[in-house]
Amino acid sequence: MSKVAAADEPAFRMSREDYRAWAERQEAGRFERVNGVVVAMAPERANHNLRKFRAAQVLDAAVRAGGLSCQVFTDGMTVEIGDSDYEPDAVLHCGGTLPGDAITVPDPLIIVEVLSPSTSGTDRAWKLQEYFRLPSLRHYLIIWADKQQIVHHRRGGDGEIETRIVAGGEIGLDPPGITIRVDDIYA
């Protein structure tokens, strides 16, 4: 059986099935599997956790206000891409309710990552590329934990990715046809 690589140990590859079985046995910690290698995630800081919580609340409120058939999940739900299993900070899924025992979101429409010192580069470059490999993904929101700033990457109808930096006001997320306020995430 493979194991998580510590800083001074070589990395071991793990199949998705082995990773899931291993992850279920862990008493603590947060992990992702990147290109088959299990990566431990650093403990969250308070600002990171608050932004993640508020982002999920704001998305959920917008979905409810719009009467949409969508679900908002926080981290813990997995997004599978190739040989990787990521746990975004928040995910919006539309088009039917996922089963209660689901552990993956197969077709996310919106993915949210809150930046932390240890993952900033990965979230802004590697995961940007990875997440848009998903045909269903239309919006990727990167939220700064320590300052009021959100980068909104949006896939247009022509498939092109448009990027906008927003420090206040509203962000239109169409589809699914909702609007969120930056100030609400930083309230």
Side-chain angles (χ1 to χ4, degrees):
M1 175 61 115
S2 302
K3 62 181 180 176
V4 176
D8 59 348
E9 294 181 10
F12 293 92
R13 295 184 59 78
M14 200 182 275
S15 71
R16 180 166 283 131
E17 181 178 283
D18 287 345
Y19 167 68
R20 290 223 174 103
W22 173 86
E24 287 182 15
R25 291 191 309 271
Q26 302 312 299
E27 293 180 23
R30 298 171 49 235
F31 306 92
E32 290 184 320
R33 190 177 71 96
V34 181
N35 292 326
V37 176
V38 177
V39 177
M41 298 168 65
E44 287 183 341
R45 291 177 163 91
N47 277 348
H48 181 106
N49 192 275
L50 288 169
R51 295 301 155 251
K52 172 176 68 177
F53 175 70
R54 293 295 296 150
Q57 281 185 318
V58 166
L59 284 171
D60 189 61
V63 163
R64 289 174 186 263
L68 302 176
S69 176
C70 301
Q71 295 174 291
V72 178
F73 298 99
T74 57
D75 68 342
M77 293 297 285
T78 302
V79 174
E80 298 174 346
I81 303 169
D83 199 25
S84 298
D85 298 282
Y86 299 109
E87 287 192 18
D89 287 316
V91 180
L92 184 137
H93 166 267
C94 296
T97 302
L98 293 181
D101 63 348
I103 59 173
T104 64
V105 180
D107 51 358
L109 188 63
I110 299 171
I111 290 178
V112 176
E113 290 284 5
V114 178
L115 295 182
S116 63
S118 63
T119 64
S120 178
T122 302
D123 291 344
R124 293 187 293 162
W126 177 256
K127 284 187 179 177
L128 168 65
Q129 177 182 338
E130 284 283 279
Y131 287 152
F132 276 109
R133 286 178 52 194
L134 297 167
S136 64
L137 190 72
R138 295 300 295 271
H139 307 276
Y140 176 36
L141 301 175
I142 301 173
I143 299 175
W144 266 248
D146 300 325
K147 70 177 181 177
Q148 187 163 320
Q149 179 173 293
I150 298 174
V151 175
H152 175 205
H153 298 286
R154 176 187 168 280
R155 185 189 335 248
D158 58 2
E160 292 292 318
I161 307 299
E162 303 165 356
T163 300
R164 199 176 135 215
I165 300 170
V166 187
E170 297 181 338
I171 299 176
L173 302 167
D174 190 25
I178 61 175
T179 299
I180 61 171
R181 293 186 37 77
V182 173
D183 295 340
D184 292 343
I185 293 173
Y186 290 90

